[in-house]
Amino acid sequence: MERSLTCCQAIQHEIDKSHQVSPRSSNVTWRERFYRWRQLRRERYALRELSDDTLKDIGLSREDVQRESHRPFWDDRGWRR
């Protein structure tokens, strides 16, 4: 999981470097949005699969995970901070 997270972060960093625009700008392509939505879906699914001990280690509760996993895929607060 760490390797894929690092890979996704590196890809996101490359996208951020090549497009210095806000996420709601019309300059963000549909390909980038689709990629990000798929990424969010994968991350939220992976978060649901973590054990309670792992969640405790990273400082999240099961309620936090449920709240995050039930958000719609297009709800991407904090993208490109």
Side-chain angles (χ1 to χ4, degrees):
M1 175 118 167
E2 288 181 32
R3 184 175 179 178
S4 65
L5 180 60
T6 304
C7 181
C8 289
Q9 288 172 339
I11 291 170
Q12 186 62 43
H13 180 68
E14 289 301 317
I15 291 172
D16 289 346
K17 274 190 347 189
S18 64
H19 300 285
Q20 295 295 324
V21 296
S22 69
R24 301 195 190 280
S25 172
S26 61
N27 293 337
V28 175
T29 66
W30 278 104
R31 174 181 279 166
E32 291 172 331
R33 288 179 196 211
F34 182 72
Y35 173 81
R36 178 62 181 157
W37 290 341
R38 287 188 64 207
Q39 180 184 12
L40 279 172
R41 182 175 168 261
R42 285 191 307 268
E43 289 173 359
R44 289 173 179 163
Y45 181 77
L47 193 61
R48 280 191 309 229
E49 299 299 316
L50 294 177
S51 69
D52 289 334
D53 291 333
T54 305
L55 292 174
K56 184 179 177 182
D57 287 345
I58 61 175
L60 294 175
S61 68
R62 186 56 64 186
E63 291 120 18
D64 295 335
V65 170
Q66 290 299 322
R67 190 176 324 114
E68 181 67 24
S69 66
H70 289 299
R71 286 174 48 197
F73 66 89
W74 63 83
D75 186 2
D76 187 13
R77 287 178 273 157
W79 187 35
R80 295 186 185 195
R81 286 186 191 178

